């Protein structure tokens, strides 16, 4: 190669390097988009009667989308309610059961007043008055013992009834969990089971993600940390390939407390950096950005 050709080659190579460097410096960090994903699992065991969700379908939080068989739980609840009625039927009526003893005491007290008058008129003996006082004392002790016994019985029956009521509440909670719903608004990413299959506790039913609010998980080097802060505004560009990009307003919502090795498919402003920190940049999705797409971030208001 002659000197002229060599010079053209060197200039061209330098131009390409400068172009690459300029292109790399257009962004401060790159990463991929992710969303808040929730795997909805069964909380009870039983046959799935219905599961009306499709992949790609948008569903609303709390809206019933499926049902697990509730027959056995319903029968269990009916049995417990019957047990409560049976236990409560044995609850003594304290006021009625002690009424007769109180009436005897009242009669003896009336008799004591009469005997005291007769004794004052020397028409009765002291022994008669002592016998009445003794009878009243015995009746009062009987009343105290009877009240204590009845109250203990009432407390025991109330405790049994309360224990069964707790079991009823547990069954009602399981009955409510037979109604399948999503805890968040979002789009169904995957469906793992169908109506007619048996569900077990913890078995995944479907996965849903909040695709309205996405996060660009990007990586910054140690030297860039001083330029980022929680709540900081960021320009985010979604890469659709072939040079097509869409711009979004983003906010840094999370910064990792620990560093990690640079993922192989991630570029940093300094490609020689081995250790980087992950950050999450929240954006409002207009429907174009998909989970897993590549994106770039440009930090605003750098320190």
């Amino acid at each position: 190669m002659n000197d002229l050709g060599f010079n053209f080659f060197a200039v061209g190579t330098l131009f390409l390097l400068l172009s690459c460097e300029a292109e790399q410096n257009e962004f401060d960090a790159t990463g991929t988009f992710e969303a808040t994903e929730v795997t909805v699992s069964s909380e009870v065991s039983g046959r799935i009667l219905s599961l009306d969700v499709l992949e790609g379908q948008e569903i609303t939080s709390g809206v019933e989308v499926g049902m697990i068989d509730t027959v056995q739980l319903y029968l269990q609840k009916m049995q417990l309610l019957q047990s409560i009625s049976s236990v409560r039927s044995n609850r003594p009526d304290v006021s009625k059961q002690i009424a007769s003893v109180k009436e005897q005491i009242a009669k003896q007290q009336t008799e004591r007043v009469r005997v005291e008058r007769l004794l004052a008129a020397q028409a009765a003996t002291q022994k008669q008055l002592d016998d009445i006082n003794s009878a009243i004392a015995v009746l009062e002790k009987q009343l105290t013992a009877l009240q204590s016994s009845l109250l203990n019985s009432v407390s025991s029956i109330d405790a049994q009834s309360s224990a069964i009521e707790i079991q009823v509440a547990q069954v009602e909670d399981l009955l409510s969990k037979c109604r399948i719903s999503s805890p968040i608004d979002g789009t169904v990413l995957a469906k793992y089971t169908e109506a007619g299959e048996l569900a077990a506790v913890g078995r995944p039913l479907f996965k849903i993600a909040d695709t309205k609010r996405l996060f660009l998980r990007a990586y910054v080097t140690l030297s860039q940390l001083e330029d980022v802060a929680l709540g900081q505004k960021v320009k985010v560009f979604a890469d659709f390939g072939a040079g097509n990009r869409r711009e979004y307003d983003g906010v840094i919502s999370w910064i990792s407390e620990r560093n990690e090795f640079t993922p192989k498919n991630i570029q940093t402003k300094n490609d020689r950096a081995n250790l980087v920190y992950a950050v999450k940049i929240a954006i409002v999705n207009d429907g174009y950005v998909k989970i897993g797409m590549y994106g770039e971030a440009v930090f605003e208001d750098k320190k």
Side-chain angles (χ1 to χ4, degrees):
M1 180 182 297
N2 56 32
D3 292 341
L4 182 60
F6 177 79
N7 289 336
F8 277 118
F9 176 78
V11 171
T13 302
L14 179 61
F15 178 78
L16 289 175
L17 291 174
L18 291 175
S19 298
C20 291
E21 183 179 357
E23 183 179 355
Q24 288 183 355
N25 289 333
E26 288 181 0
F27 58 85
D28 293 306
T30 66
T32 56
F33 289 98
E34 58 185 40
T36 300
E37 298 181 2
V38 176
T39 299
V40 179
S41 301
S42 175
E43 297 183 81
V44 295
S45 298
R47 187 172 300 280
I48 300 173
L49 300 180
S50 64
L51 186 58
D52 301 324
V53 296
L54 298 173
E55 294 182 356
Q57 176 185 353
E58 292 189 3
I59 57 179
T60 304
S61 170
V63 175
E64 183 179 323
V65 295
M67 173 68 73
I68 296 176
D69 186 18
T70 62
V71 172
Q72 294 302 317
L73 288 173
Y74 178 77
L75 294 176
Q76 184 179 348
K77 178 183 176 180
M78 293 298 101
Q79 183 181 16
L80 290 171
L81 291 176
Q82 187 62 38
S83 298
I84 292 177
S85 299
S86 177
V87 169
R88 288 178 176 172
S89 66
N90 295 323
R91 191 177 191 275
D93 189 333
V94 177
S95 60
K96 287 184 178 180
Q97 294 201 28
I98 65 175
S100 60
V101 179
K102 284 186 173 181
E103 185 177 354
Q104 294 178 52
I105 293 174
K107 287 180 179 180
Q108 290 295 330
Q109 289 173 338
T110 301
E111 182 64 16
R112 180 172 59 184
V113 172
R114 188 183 70 82
V115 171
E116 286 175 344
R117 289 175 181 173
L118 291 174
L119 183 62
Q122 296 183 349
T125 64
Q126 183 64 39
K127 183 178 182 305
Q128 289 177 301
L129 181 60
D130 292 342
D131 289 343
I132 291 174
N133 286 332
S134 177
I136 291 175
V138 170
L139 288 171
E140 287 178 341
K141 289 181 180 178
Q142 291 179 357
L143 177 62
T144 301
L146 181 58
Q147 284 179 321
S148 177
S149 176
L150 291 173
L151 290 176
N152 287 337
S153 179
V154 168
S155 297
S156 176
I157 291 174
D158 287 345
Q160 294 179 43
S161 177
S162 296
I164 300 175
E165 287 175 349
I166 292 174
Q167 295 179 49
V168 171
Q170 291 174 333
V171 173
E172 288 178 341
D173 179 60
L174 291 175
L175 283 169
S176 67
K177 290 176 179 177
C178 289
R179 302 179 181 275
I180 304 170
S181 62
S182 170
I184 63 172
D185 295 342
T187 302
V188 178
L189 299 182
K191 183 178 180 181
Y192 302 118
T193 187
E194 298 290 343
E197 297 182 9
L198 289 176
V201 176
R203 178 180 178 180
L205 302 176
F206 60 91
K207 180 187 290 187
I208 187 171
D210 180 7
T211 55
K212 300 294 185 183
R213 176 180 165 89
L214 294 183
F215 301 90
L216 176 65
R217 187 183 185 92
Y219 295 86
V220 297
T221 61
L222 179 62
S223 61
Q224 290 178 286
L225 276 181
E226 64 179 359
D227 292 329
V228 298
L230 290 176
Q232 179 180 343
K233 294 182 179 179
V234 178
K235 285 297 182 182
V236 176
F237 299 89
D239 188 354
F240 292 85
N244 296 323
R245 301 195 306 174
R246 294 181 71 92
E247 180 180 334
Y248 298 88
D249 293 327
V251 176
I252 297 178
S253 60
W254 174 79
I255 302 174
S256 175
E257 295 293 334
R258 297 182 178 181
N259 57 20
E260 57 186 284
F261 287 103
T262 309
K264 293 182 179 180
N265 60 340
I266 298 298
Q267 296 181 10
T268 63
K269 198 165 186 179
N270 183 359
D271 287 333
R272 294 172 297 175
N274 291 324
L275 293 176
V276 292
Y277 291 81
V279 298
K280 285 186 178 181
I281 304 168
I283 69 165
V284 177
N285 188 14
D286 56 4
Y288 289 98
V289 183
K290 309 301 180 184
I291 298 173
M293 286 179 55
Y294 285 98
E296 301 167 352
V298 177
F299 302 136
E300 300 180 341
D301 302 326
K302 296 181 182 179
K303 297 179 181 179

